[in-house]
Amino acid sequence: GGGGGGGARGEQDQLVVAILVPGDFIAKVIGKSGLGLKQIRENSGCRVNVLPSGADRAAPRRVELSGQAQSIGLGAGCVLSAAYQGSGQSIVEAVVLVPNRCTGAVIGKGGENLKRVRESTGARIQVERDPQLNPENGEQERMLKINGEPTAIGNGLCLALGAAPPMVGGHHYSAVGNAAVVGGLAGSMPQSLEVQPMGDDPELVQIHVVIPGKLA
């Protein structure tokens, strides 16, 4: 049966998060005959839906990602990597819309979660003050502006939503993982990472992130 109002960090919740992709870049995300969207779905495990364009085809297109937080984080990284591939931009600003109910957890007490995301992934999140309405379902959502490398933005979004950083290439973290593998998630990840197994299940691990003293 369904759980109550959000379990432990809401990892079982199905979320809908949208990314606004500039109209000039959306074709790279969709790919020929929709192949790009299919690859994003297969690599991330989340559902991907691109809303139709309006009269201004250069206006940002709303790309909706549906699933659990970890899949959405990986999907966001895939969308942004595809969109800006070959653009010469290594650092981009992503406009992301999350359910308004997630805002408190994204920010954390005194902004501690935003700081944690910045220090552990290099992605910087700015939360807009006022909520707005989702044009599809009429629910309130909050705009986030996230700066960083596409992969770092995906990792940062995942952490902001309360899940472990997303997988790379469809591979789970495992008991045989090491800092070098995990560090490949983003060029600006912290220097010291530990991956420890939790029990006998090799796909359940604990990740310890050590932040350099100068950033603490």
Side-chain angles (χ1 to χ4, degrees):
R9 299 200 306 179
E11 290 183 357
Q12 300 305 315
D13 291 349
Q14 294 290 308
L15 300 171
V16 178
V17 171
I19 302 176
L20 299 185
V21 176
D24 294 339
F25 295 99
I26 194 65
K28 294 181 180 179
V29 176
I30 297 173
K32 187 176 182 180
S33 302
L35 183 60
L37 296 180
K38 180 182 178 183
Q39 290 178 335
I40 293 170
R41 284 193 293 267
E42 291 177 348
N43 290 335
S44 68
C46 68
R47 294 183 296 278
V48 186
N49 181 39
V50 180
L51 272 60
S53 62
D56 183 4
R57 301 189 67 84
R61 294 280 292 276
R62 184 181 174 102
V63 179
E64 292 192 339
L65 306 174
S66 306
Q68 295 185 9
Q70 189 182 65
S71 295
I72 287 175
L74 181 54
C78 291
V79 167
L80 294 170
S81 294
Y84 291 98
Q85 185 177 18
S87 69
Q89 300 181 55
S90 58
I91 304 297
V92 301
E93 180 179 83
V95 177
V96 179
L97 298 156
V98 302
N100 192 51
R101 60 185 168 84
C102 297
T103 305
V106 167
I107 296 173
K109 185 178 180 180
E112 62 183 12
N113 201 37
L114 296 179
K115 180 181 178 182
R116 183 169 72 100
V117 168
R118 182 178 68 249
E119 292 178 343
S120 60
T121 71
R124 295 176 176 271
I125 300 179
Q126 176 184 335
V127 181
E128 294 298 298
R129 183 178 299 275
D130 298 319
Q132 57 191 57
L133 289 181
N134 180 325
E136 292 297 295
N137 58 24
E139 294 183 359
Q140 286 194 327
E141 55 188 12
R142 193 70 69 95
M143 179 182 290
L144 310 179
K145 293 182 179 179
I146 313 178
N147 288 273
E149 298 176 351
T151 304
I153 290 175
N155 290 330
L157 178 60
C158 182
L159 281 174
L161 293 173
M167 301 171 289
V168 173
H171 296 291
H172 290 272
Y173 293 124
S174 70
V176 298
N178 56 45
V181 173
V182 181
L185 284 171
S188 49
M189 290 287 279
Q191 295 178 357
S192 181
L193 290 160
E194 284 182 55
V195 181
Q196 299 178 355
M198 293 176 64
D200 296 326
D201 187 343
E203 291 190 358
L204 289 177
V205 301
Q206 219 170 14
I207 302 174
H208 297 272
V209 180
V210 179
I211 305 297
K214 67 177 71 175
L215 296 178

